[in-house]
Amino acid sequence: MLVVMKALATEEQVRAVCQKIEKLGYRAHPMPGATRTAIGITGNKGEVEQGTLEEMPGVQEVIAVSKPYKLVSRDVKEENTVITFSGTAATIGGPGLAIVAGPCAIESREQAFTVAERVHRAGAQFFRGGAYKPRTSPYSFQGLGEEGLRIMAEIRQQFGMKIITEAIDHESLDLVEEYADVIQIGARKPVLLKRGMSATLEEFLMAAEYILSEGNYNVALCERGVRTFADHTRNTLDLSLVPAVQRLSHLPILVDPSHGTGKRNKVTPLSRAAVAVGADGLMVEVHHQPDQALSDGPQSLFPDQFDELMTQVRQIAAVVGRTVPAIGVREPAAVSK
Amino acid sequence: MLVVMKALATEEQVRAVCQKIEKLGYRAHPMPGATRTAIGITGNKGEVEQGTLEEMPGVQEVIAVSKPYKLVSRDVKEENTVITFSGTAATIGGPGLAIVAGPCAIESREQAFTVAERVHRAGAQFFRGGAYKPRTSPYSFQGLGEEGLRIMAEIRQQFGMKIITEAIDHESLDLVEEYADVIQIGARKPVLLKRGMSATLEEFLMAAEYILSEGNYNVALCERGVRTFADHTRNTLDLSLVPAVQRLSHLPILVDPSHGTGKRNKVTPLSRAAVAVGADGLMVEVHHQPDQALSDGPQSLFPDQFDELMTQVRQIAAVVGRTVPAIGVREPAAVSK
Amino acid sequence: MLVVMKALATEEQVRAVCQKIEKLGYRAHPMPGATRTAIGITGNKGEVEQGTLEEMPGVQEVIAVSKPYKLVSRDVKEENTVITFSGTAATIGGPGLAIVAGPCAIESREQAFTVAERVHRAGAQFFRGGAYKPRTSPYSFQGLGEEGLRIMAEIRQQFGMKIITEAIDHESLDLVEEYADVIQIGARKPVLLKRGMSATLEEFLMAAEYILSEGNYNVALCERGVRTFADHTRNTLDLSLVPAVQRLSHLPILVDPSHGTGKRNKVTPLSRAAVAVGADGLMVEVHHQPDQALSDGPQSLFPDQFDELMTQVRQIAAVVGRTVPAIGVREPAAVSK
Amino acid sequence: MLVVMKALATEEQVRAVCQKIEKLGYRAHPMPGATRTAIGITGNKGEVEQGTLEEMPGVQEVIAVSKPYKLVSRDVKEENTVITFSGTAATIGGPGLAIVAGPCAIESREQAFTVAERVHRAGAQFFRGGAYKPRTSPYSFQGLGEEGLRIMAEIRQQFGMKIITEAIDHESLDLVEEYADVIQIGARKPVLLKRGMSATLEEFLMAAEYILSEGNYNVALCERGVRTFADHTRNTLDLSLVPAVQRLSHLPILVDPSHGTGKRNKVTPLSRAAVAVGADGLMVEVHHQPDQALSDGPQSLFPDQFDELMTQVRQIAAVVGRTVPAIGVREPAAVSK
């Protein structure tokens, strides 16, 4: 259910409607737009009685939302969500593409800094690296844990890149929240939500809806391949998801061609394709010695390949009306978190 | 890596080998078999040097295990794993089929007891019911939580059925461990591990390997459908997984045709097929008023349909050399946990 | 569109309605049922005006069929289709299961007769063998062509089994029609239609609808696996299709676990499961020297394994109210076609 | 098996090797390259004995080809295949992208000419249109047949565009060969081979191998989506196939985002992505009145949308070093077939 306020409704009127909703036992999600505010209603109790709210001052109409998700929908918020960060001009969802790069896992201070220096110089504004790795085999490298998080915090300090890393349970989440700028599942901070390998578009949007319904609206989505019979890549990267998400939702969507294909030689062509299809950013694995990587080496680019990828992506971004930071330009305000 | 002890090796020799393994920084998993003991070696450090162990008294040979999983493999343990429970003759993995039945979610004391009475009378030895429901939509019924667990504990007390329920995070896991007999993800108690909707056979076995490598060998697997293009059922039940698992692993495998198809009219034929293909048990949703169920109503059987299913399944079990408890027979020792 | 005649409608009235339909530029498909006749209307011109036919003598009602297929639907014909053959009591779709067995490809007279003798003795009423093999690689054995057809005609003569073989283009179809009893794609003779590896249920029924709409109602369907990400079998056998087809259509449906799994050790358990799920028959590959087979050796059963399969299948058939011919019993009328 | 000739081998030496191969009962496929000639050997008889050929004059080495396909492989021919046409500068596989556009089906002379005029003006060098339509339902429009072919021949005459159309059986193939420039399955003329909805990369290359092994080397491939669980598009367009094919094979590969997604609003973004990923061309459905189209209306672009698509594609082509004919430029030699 969605309450659309009049264009001239006062803040007080919006607040009154929200209080009424909460008093009825539901949760109110005011979402200010360019011309008017909409208030999403969520709750575990079925539909609220429409008449109750329709008569309140400042309310234009109360509409039922037919889709199973609400807060992620363009019906509720027409403008694109743009996630901003303190201390940097970089955004996720703005006109500039969000370029996320780094190794699959943080393996050592030296490895992390070597890669960070290179991807930063090539224009990446976000540094990715795993500290807790959910591996298929219990006998594989599981990540450095808190030490990995500490290394990434130093990288943020030195290069001004924002940090994206993955939490896998409650313990790791607490630590990750302490150190990272964007987390890949979660709570109050910006969240990068990865599509499950067998999630439909609707299920993916519903997973995001869970996070928004808890009051965290800073969610970016990430396509990273689905499971199919095709065996020439690890998963099948589903680029058609990008325009499909953008039609239905205001949330930004990135593409991860590294996990999506599992093969180094496919990463650059599919990064070009992802930008061409209209993605809001890329998430790419880079490693200076992929043959010695403790995880995902075969899909990690060499730093020189990442340079080349950025050059190509920059040109294609221009064609679709997006920008990418120039090579080696340190963003001015990129000092602290 | 696997240390195969001689048939006549003493317990002391086995213990000495285990201590040596631990001293080398690995973990030892002694697995007594019918004629000899094998000791699995796991650890995050790469391969142990073979010679070190081969020379120890009582060791017959040290063999490298080529598959990415070890402890779940028939190479390590040839005999079928049979999970037993105190206070009941029912097993998972033994000659008798494990019949698990109950509603998707515990909705009320009355609903749970009504269904429990019926499935118990029809021969089910295990009662399933969700207290914490991971739903696609945040606006759907999420389960009764601890109250649901308490209701199931009463059902165990009254009917002697063992309880199987699902934990979704650490908080719920603690509570679930307190109340349930089998949990669907986890720790020391028997674990029923559901196949992910896009998990390959190898990934499924690796997930089980995680649990065994933590020292919990009481794991049963459950096939419940995979994601495919086919749209006449919710997922596509992959019965070929049953003989495939049984060839590679000693762990028991159940089939859940309720989640696997999502349609009531497919549950009985596919339950018959699951027993015919050789599954070690069934997991079936039953509800006395499916039209009013708070979740998964359309795939829940009516109690009368479950009676009919049990009759058919009992006959097919006989053909494949398995048994199913007779209708209405309360197992003698089934008093308390 | 479907014209349902009154129970007491005369043959003349049925004929008059059919003539009217044809005169309107459509095609009429009279389908006599147990109590009344229904007449399906097909044609490339959109809907026929309802009133025109509703007023004719003997017509009870004219109903629109909402599904995209008509003639294959149970709405049009409630009774199961039973395909009969001259000179044998064996049927496809009757109470007795249709057991189709034989090698993937006819390789020589000796090979074919050796296998035929064994599967006939074990109870198979239909002999399968490929004369024209559509192989993935142009460098693989492509079949013996007409010579293979001639060998199968001799087998029919000697053992009284009916012959099922595959046509791949118009030239081969003409020859196949001359020699075979059932063809796997086609024209006037009974047709066994295999599900495409990526066909949905609706598409599969529509493919059958093509054949019925040409006036050939003797169509049996065959499930043989779909393409999924799962890699432990060649394709994923979708047994849930059997009850799904039986709900929507009157056509019989067989299961082919040989092609459906591609692995010998899966054929017997999945044959049991196919009968348990309610299939109308099995199609199984058998070869006396599978290691030397020119195609599909790894999925062919040894004759002894087929004997064992038949024993198990016979017991399960009894549970689901079906029969299978006893071992070694030559059916009385099985002399010639 | 592959015979690599020396760089200075004479034509006579090449001919002698081919004769020897044929004499041994195999088929020889000489493939001249930039610096040397390779001769592929195919045949139904197993491996040729290596020594026989290795000693012949002009032979540098004889190598076994480990992949199941040979003639389509880059091992046999390193240079890209470029398909040329008389009377036009347009190619498939050359530096210029091949732009194929037109309606799904030819419905009338007026419809075909209206669309042809628009796509020609926007820069398409190839006109697509179906005369024989393999439809899912027997009750759907099946195409105009020979009349459709005749209309397309007129379009070639008037606009100088080359004609691509589909043959579905032998009868239609004969007629199609008479009228079309490229056929979508087949014989001596250039062939556009569409990927089956569930074909793996290897199977797709093997299907092409069939055509090359018959002596027709003018084959272009076309990715058009695979069957997956994802339901936001009709099929899932698998753009990762493009770099995968280009790595293994010398054949050009086009992308068809119209069939690949089934939705008009996805065609333009995925056309951009297809060019960005490196495809050799596009195949796009255009219709001036899609709402009245007899087939595939919902996925057909309006001519104005095709103009816009071409503008975007032209810019992206430049980034990846490819060209697209300028708008409205009639290619000089485009007079007759």
Side-chain angles (χ1 to χ4, degrees):
Chain A
M1 188 98 39
L2 185 66
V3 181
V4 181
M5 301 300 290
K6 288 179 181 157
L8 297 174
T10 63
E11 278 190 36
E12 207 168 307
Q13 288 171 338
V14 171
R15 212 174 317 119
V17 172
C18 290
Q19 281 166 357
K20 180 70 182 174
I21 290 166
E22 307 274 354
K23 212 174 135 195
L24 289 167
Y26 299 89
R27 189 158 179 177
H29 299 266
M31 312 194 94
T35 59
R36 71 184 72 239
T37 290
I39 305 170
I41 303 177
T42 63
N44 214 352
K45 289 178 37 180
E47 293 296 288
V48 63
E49 208 187 315
Q50 207 152 331
T52 326
L53 298 167
E54 217 149 33
E55 304 306 317
M56 291 186 70
V59 171
Q60 183 172 299
E61 57 175 337
V62 177
I63 54 178
V65 179
S66 62
K67 304 201 186 72
Y69 45 85
K70 299 173 197 179
L71 304 177
V72 303
S73 167
R74 283 215 188 268
D75 297 348
V76 165
K77 176 164 175 291
E78 219 183 306
E79 294 84 14
N80 289 336
T81 287
V82 179
I83 305 178
T84 58
F85 300 85
S86 65
T88 174
T91 62
I92 302 180
L97 294 182
I99 305 294
V100 184
C104 177
I106 301 297
E107 299 165 12
S108 69
R109 201 177 177 284
E110 193 211 335
Q111 170 246 24
F113 269 75
T114 305
V115 175
E117 196 273 329
R118 291 298 306 267
V119 300
H120 174 248
R121 213 196 313 154
Q125 318 106 318
F126 298 88
F127 183 74
R128 61 151 291 154
Y132 302 93
K133 300 303 304 175
R135 305 298 296 279
T136 310
S137 166
Y139 312 127
S140 303
F141 176 62
Q142 312 279 322
L144 292 182
E146 188 170 2
E147 188 190 334
L149 295 172
R150 247 185 259 118
I151 291 168
M152 285 189 281
E154 284 185 60
I155 282 170
R156 175 176 51 205
Q157 192 62 31
Q158 174 145 352
F159 297 102
M161 288 187 289
K162 294 296 171 183
I163 302 303
I164 299 191
T165 193
E166 197 164 9
I168 56 178
D169 55 22
H170 281 76
E171 286 96 301
S172 66
L173 184 57
D174 290 344
L175 284 169
V176 163
E177 279 208 275
E178 193 179 328
Y179 290 103
D181 298 293
V182 181
I183 47 181
Q184 282 172 247
I185 185 166
R188 280 142 301 168
K189 288 198 183 177
V191 171
L192 182 65
L193 187 69
K194 300 185 293 184
R195 181 186 187 184
M197 282 188 305
S198 58
T200 63
L201 169 58
E202 187 172 301
E203 289 168 345
F204 191 21
L205 291 177
M206 296 285 262
E209 184 81 11
Y210 258 97
I211 305 173
L212 272 75
S213 74
E214 296 292 331
N216 181 356
Y217 303 110
N218 286 318
V219 176
L221 307 174
C222 187
E223 158 64 25
R224 57 202 314 266
V226 292
R227 275 281 161 93
T228 74
F229 69 87
D231 52 7
H232 61 282
T233 44
R234 192 171 51 185
N235 294 320
T236 299
L237 197 68
D238 179 12
L239 290 181
S240 71
L241 193 84
V242 172
V245 160
Q246 290 171 337
R247 198 178 164 80
L248 296 172
S249 174
H250 50 82
L251 298 177
I253 176 157
L254 309 190
V255 170
D256 175 349
S258 305
H259 279 99
T261 67
K263 295 197 173 167
R264 183 179 303 133
N265 64 60
K266 307 282 179 294
V267 173
T268 297
L270 285 158
S271 293
R272 290 195 309 254
V275 173
V277 89
D280 293 302
L282 296 173
M283 183 143 173
V284 178
E285 288 189 1
V286 180
H287 198 289
H288 64 303
Q289 292 170 318
D291 293 345
Q292 295 169 41
L294 295 178
S295 64
D296 283 351
Q299 75 197 30
S300 295
L301 291 185
F302 288 90
D304 285 353
Q305 291 177 312
F306 183 66
D307 289 351
E308 171 69 15
L309 177 154
M310 287 295 284
T311 304
Q312 296 183 16
V313 153
R314 196 167 284 115
Q315 294 175 285
I316 291 178
V319 175
V320 293
R322 308 296 285 263
T323 58
V324 178
I327 293 177
V329 174
R330 177 86 172 268
E331 307 212 7
V335 184
S336 68
K337 184 193 158 187
Chain B
M1 190 96 39
L2 185 66
V3 181
V4 182
M5 301 301 291
K6 290 181 180 154
L8 298 174
T10 64
E11 275 191 39
E12 205 169 308
Q13 286 170 337
V14 171
R15 212 176 317 119
V17 172
C18 290
Q19 280 165 358
K20 178 73 180 169
I21 290 166
E22 305 274 354
K23 211 174 135 197
L24 290 167
Y26 299 89
R27 190 160 180 175
H29 299 266
M31 312 193 94
T35 59
R36 69 185 72 240
T37 291
I39 305 171
I41 304 178
T42 62
N44 213 352
K45 286 179 39 182
E47 292 296 287
V48 62
E49 209 189 315
Q50 209 151 328
T52 326
L53 298 167
E54 219 148 34
E55 305 307 317
M56 292 186 71
V59 171
Q60 182 170 299
E61 57 174 337
V62 178
I63 52 177
V65 179
S66 61
K67 303 202 187 74
Y69 44 85
K70 300 171 195 180
L71 305 176
V72 303
S73 167
R74 285 217 186 266
D75 297 347
V76 165
K77 177 165 174 289
E78 220 184 304
E79 293 85 11
N80 288 337
T81 286
V82 180
I83 305 177
T84 58
F85 300 85
S86 65
T88 174
T91 62
I92 303 179
L97 293 183
I99 305 293
V100 185
C104 176
I106 301 298
E107 298 165 13
S108 70
R109 203 179 176 285
E110 195 210 336
Q111 170 248 24
F113 270 75
T114 305
V115 175
E117 196 275 328
R118 291 298 305 266
V119 301
H120 173 248
R121 211 192 319 149
Q125 317 107 317
F126 298 87
F127 183 73
R128 61 151 292 155
Y132 301 92
K133 300 302 302 174
R135 306 297 298 278
T136 310
S137 166
Y139 312 127
S140 302
F141 176 61
Q142 311 280 323
L144 292 183
E146 188 169 0
E147 189 190 333
L149 295 172
R150 246 183 259 118
I151 292 168
M152 286 188 282
E154 285 186 57
I155 283 170
R156 174 176 52 206
Q157 192 62 31
Q158 174 143 355
F159 298 101
M161 288 188 287
K162 295 296 171 183
I163 302 302
I164 298 191
T165 193
E166 195 164 12
I168 56 177
D169 54 24
H170 280 77
E171 286 95 300
S172 65
L173 183 56
D174 289 344
L175 285 169
V176 162
E177 280 208 273
E178 193 179 328
Y179 290 103
D181 298 294
V182 181
I183 47 181
Q184 281 172 253
I185 184 165
R188 279 142 300 168
K189 290 198 180 175
V191 170
L192 181 66
L193 187 69
K194 300 184 294 184
R195 180 186 188 185
M197 283 188 305
S198 58
T200 62
L201 169 57
E202 186 174 303
E203 288 168 347
F204 192 21
L205 292 177
M206 296 284 263
E209 183 81 12
Y210 258 98
I211 305 173
L212 272 76
S213 73
E214 296 292 330
N216 182 355
Y217 304 110
N218 286 318
V219 175
L221 307 175
C222 186
E223 159 64 24
R224 57 199 319 261
V226 292
R227 274 281 161 93
T228 75
F229 68 89
D231 54 5
H232 61 281
T233 45
R234 194 173 49 186
N235 294 321
T236 299
L237 198 68
D238 179 12
L239 290 181
S240 71
L241 193 84
V242 173
V245 160
Q246 290 171 337
R247 197 177 165 80
L248 296 173
S249 175
H250 50 83
L251 299 177
I253 176 158
L254 310 189
V255 171
D256 175 349
S258 305
H259 278 99
T261 66
K263 294 195 173 167
R264 183 179 303 134
N265 63 59
K266 308 283 177 294
V267 172
T268 297
L270 285 159
S271 293
R272 291 194 309 255
V275 173
V277 90
D280 294 300
L282 294 174
M283 182 142 174
V284 178
E285 288 190 1
V286 180
H287 197 290
H288 63 303
Q289 291 169 320
D291 294 344
Q292 293 168 44
L294 294 179
S295 63
D296 283 350
Q299 74 196 32
S300 295
L301 291 185
F302 288 90
D304 286 355
Q305 293 177 309
F306 182 68
D307 289 350
E308 170 68 14
L309 177 155
M310 287 295 285
T311 305
Q312 297 184 18
V313 154
R314 195 168 283 115
Q315 295 174 283
I316 292 178
V319 176
V320 293
R322 308 296 285 262
T323 59
V324 178
I327 291 178
V329 172
R330 176 87 170 267
E331 307 213 8
V335 183
S336 69
K337 188 197 155 186
Chain C
M1 189 98 39
L2 187 65
V3 181
V4 182
M5 301 301 289
K6 291 181 180 155
L8 298 175
T10 62
E11 274 190 41
E12 203 168 311
Q13 287 171 335
V14 171
R15 213 175 317 120
V17 172
C18 290
Q19 281 165 357
K20 179 73 181 171
I21 290 167
E22 305 274 354
K23 210 174 136 197
L24 288 167
Y26 299 88
R27 188 156 178 178
H29 299 266
M31 311 193 96
T35 57
R36 68 183 73 239
T37 291
I39 306 170
I41 304 178
T42 62
N44 213 351
K45 287 179 39 180
E47 293 297 287
V48 62
E49 210 187 316
Q50 207 151 332
T52 327
L53 299 167
E54 218 149 33
E55 305 307 318
M56 292 186 70
V59 170
Q60 183 172 296
E61 56 177 335
V62 177
I63 53 178
V65 178
S66 61
K67 304 202 187 74
Y69 45 84
K70 299 172 196 180
L71 305 177
V72 303
S73 166
R74 284 218 186 267
D75 298 346
V76 165
K77 176 162 174 292
E78 220 183 306
E79 294 85 12
N80 288 336
T81 287
V82 180
I83 306 178
T84 57
F85 299 85
S86 64
T88 174
T91 61
I92 303 179
L97 293 183
I99 306 294
V100 184
C104 177
I106 301 299
E107 299 165 12
S108 70
R109 202 176 177 284
E110 193 210 337
Q111 169 247 26
F113 269 75
T114 305
V115 175
E117 195 275 329
R118 291 297 305 265
V119 300
H120 174 249
R121 209 190 325 147
Q125 318 106 319
F126 298 87
F127 184 74
R128 59 150 291 154
Y132 301 93
K133 300 302 303 174
R135 306 297 297 279
T136 311
S137 166
Y139 311 127
S140 304
F141 177 60
Q142 312 279 325
L144 292 183
E146 188 169 0
E147 188 189 334
L149 295 173
R150 246 183 259 117
I151 292 168
M152 286 189 281
E154 285 185 58
I155 283 170
R156 174 177 51 205
Q157 191 61 31
Q158 173 144 352
F159 298 101
M161 290 188 287
K162 293 296 169 182
I163 301 303
I164 298 192
T165 193
E166 195 163 10
I168 56 177
D169 55 22
H170 280 77
E171 285 94 301
S172 64
L173 183 57
D174 289 345
L175 283 169
V176 163
E177 280 208 275
E178 192 178 330
Y179 290 103
D181 298 295
V182 181
I183 46 180
Q184 283 174 249
I185 184 164
R188 280 142 301 166
K189 290 199 180 173
V191 170
L192 182 65
L193 188 68
K194 300 185 293 184
R195 181 186 187 185
M197 282 189 307
S198 58
T200 63
L201 170 57
E202 186 173 301
E203 289 168 346
F204 191 22
L205 292 177
M206 296 284 264
E209 183 82 11
Y210 258 98
I211 305 173
L212 272 76
S213 74
E214 296 292 331
N216 181 355
Y217 302 110
N218 286 320
V219 175
L221 306 174
C222 186
E223 159 65 24
R224 57 200 318 260
V226 292
R227 275 279 163 94
T228 75
F229 69 88
D231 52 6
H232 61 282
T233 45
R234 193 172 50 186
N235 294 321
T236 298
L237 197 68
D238 179 12
L239 290 180
S240 70
L241 193 84
V242 173
V245 159
Q246 288 170 339
R247 198 177 163 79
L248 296 173
S249 175
H250 50 84
L251 298 177
I253 175 158
L254 309 190
V255 170
D256 175 350
S258 304
H259 279 99
T261 67
K263 294 193 174 171
R264 183 180 302 133
N265 63 59
K266 309 281 178 296
V267 172
T268 297
L270 286 158
S271 293
R272 292 195 307 256
V275 174
V277 91
D280 294 300
L282 295 173
M283 182 143 176
V284 177
E285 288 189 2
V286 180
H287 198 288
H288 64 304
Q289 292 169 318
D291 294 343
Q292 294 168 42
L294 294 179
S295 64
D296 283 351
Q299 74 196 29
S300 294
L301 292 183
F302 288 90
D304 285 354
Q305 292 177 310
F306 182 67
D307 288 351
E308 170 69 13
L309 178 154
M310 287 296 285
T311 305
Q312 296 184 18
V313 154
R314 195 168 283 114
Q315 294 174 284
I316 292 178
V319 176
V320 294
R322 308 295 285 260
T323 58
V324 178
I327 293 177
V329 172
R330 177 84 173 267
E331 308 215 6
V335 184
S336 70
K337 189 198 151 186
Chain D
M1 190 95 41
L2 184 66
V3 181
V4 182
M5 301 300 289
K6 291 182 181 154
L8 297 175
T10 63
E11 276 190 38
E12 206 167 306
Q13 288 171 336
V14 171
R15 213 175 315 120
V17 172
C18 290
Q19 280 165 358
K20 179 73 180 170
I21 291 166
E22 305 274 353
K23 210 172 136 196
L24 290 166
Y26 299 89
R27 188 158 180 179
H29 299 267
M31 311 194 95
T35 59
R36 70 183 72 241
T37 291
I39 305 170
I41 304 178
T42 63
N44 214 351
K45 287 180 36 183
E47 293 296 288
V48 61
E49 208 188 316
Q50 207 152 331
T52 326
L53 298 168
E54 219 150 32
E55 304 308 317
M56 291 186 71
V59 171
Q60 183 171 297
E61 56 176 338
V62 177
I63 53 178
V65 179
S66 61
K67 306 202 185 72
Y69 45 85
K70 299 173 197 178
L71 305 177
V72 303
S73 166
R74 283 216 188 269
D75 297 348
V76 165
K77 176 162 174 291
E78 220 183 306
E79 294 85 13
N80 288 335
T81 286
V82 180
I83 305 178
T84 57
F85 300 85
S86 64
T88 174
T91 63
I92 302 180
L97 294 182
I99 306 294
V100 184
C104 177
I106 301 298
E107 299 166 10
S108 70
R109 201 176 178 284
E110 193 210 337
Q111 170 248 22
F113 269 76
T114 304
V115 174
E117 195 274 328
R118 290 299 305 267
V119 300
H120 174 248
R121 214 197 312 154
Q125 317 106 318
F126 298 88
F127 184 74
R128 63 151 289 154
Y132 301 92
K133 300 303 302 174
R135 304 300 296 279
T136 310
S137 165
Y139 311 127
S140 303
F141 176 62
Q142 313 278 325
L144 293 183
E146 188 169 1
E147 188 190 335
L149 295 173
R150 245 183 261 119
I151 292 168
M152 285 189 281
E154 284 185 58
I155 282 170
R156 175 176 51 205
Q157 190 62 31
Q158 174 143 354
F159 296 103
M161 289 188 288
K162 294 295 171 183
I163 301 304
I164 298 191
T165 194
E166 197 164 9
I168 56 178
D169 55 22
H170 280 76
E171 286 95 302
S172 65
L173 183 56
D174 290 344
L175 284 169
V176 163
E177 280 207 274
E178 190 179 332
Y179 290 104
D181 299 294
V182 182
I183 47 181
Q184 282 172 251
I185 186 166
R188 279 142 302 167
K189 289 198 183 175
V191 170
L192 182 65
L193 187 68
K194 300 186 293 184
R195 181 186 187 184
M197 282 190 304
S198 58
T200 63
L201 169 57
E202 187 172 301
E203 289 169 345
F204 192 20
L205 291 178
M206 297 284 262
E209 184 82 10
Y210 258 98
I211 305 174
L212 272 75
S213 74
E214 296 293 331
N216 181 356
Y217 303 111
N218 286 318
V219 175
L221 307 174
C222 187
E223 158 65 25
R224 58 201 316 263
V226 292
R227 274 281 160 94
T228 75
F229 69 87
D231 54 6
H232 62 280
T233 45
R234 193 172 50 184
N235 294 321
T236 299
L237 197 68
D238 179 11
L239 290 182
S240 70
L241 192 83
V242 172
V245 160
Q246 289 171 338
R247 198 179 164 79
L248 296 172
S249 174
H250 50 82
L251 298 178
I253 175 158
L254 309 190
V255 170
D256 176 349
S258 305
H259 279 98
T261 68
K263 293 195 174 168
R264 184 179 302 135
N265 63 60
K266 306 283 179 293
V267 173
T268 297
L270 284 158
S271 293
R272 290 195 308 256
V275 173
V277 90
D280 294 301
L282 296 173
M283 183 142 173
V284 177
E285 289 189 1
V286 180
H287 197 289
H288 64 302
Q289 292 169 320
D291 294 345
Q292 294 168 42
L294 294 179
S295 64
D296 284 350
Q299 75 197 29
S300 295
L301 292 184
F302 288 90
D304 285 353
Q305 292 177 309
F306 183 67
D307 289 350
E308 171 69 13
L309 177 155
M310 287 295 284
T311 304
Q312 297 183 19
V313 154
R314 197 167 282 117
Q315 295 175 283
I316 291 178
V319 176
V320 294
R322 308 294 287 261
T323 58
V324 178
I327 293 177
V329 173
R330 178 84 172 269
E331 306 214 7
V335 183
S336 69
K337 189 194 158 189

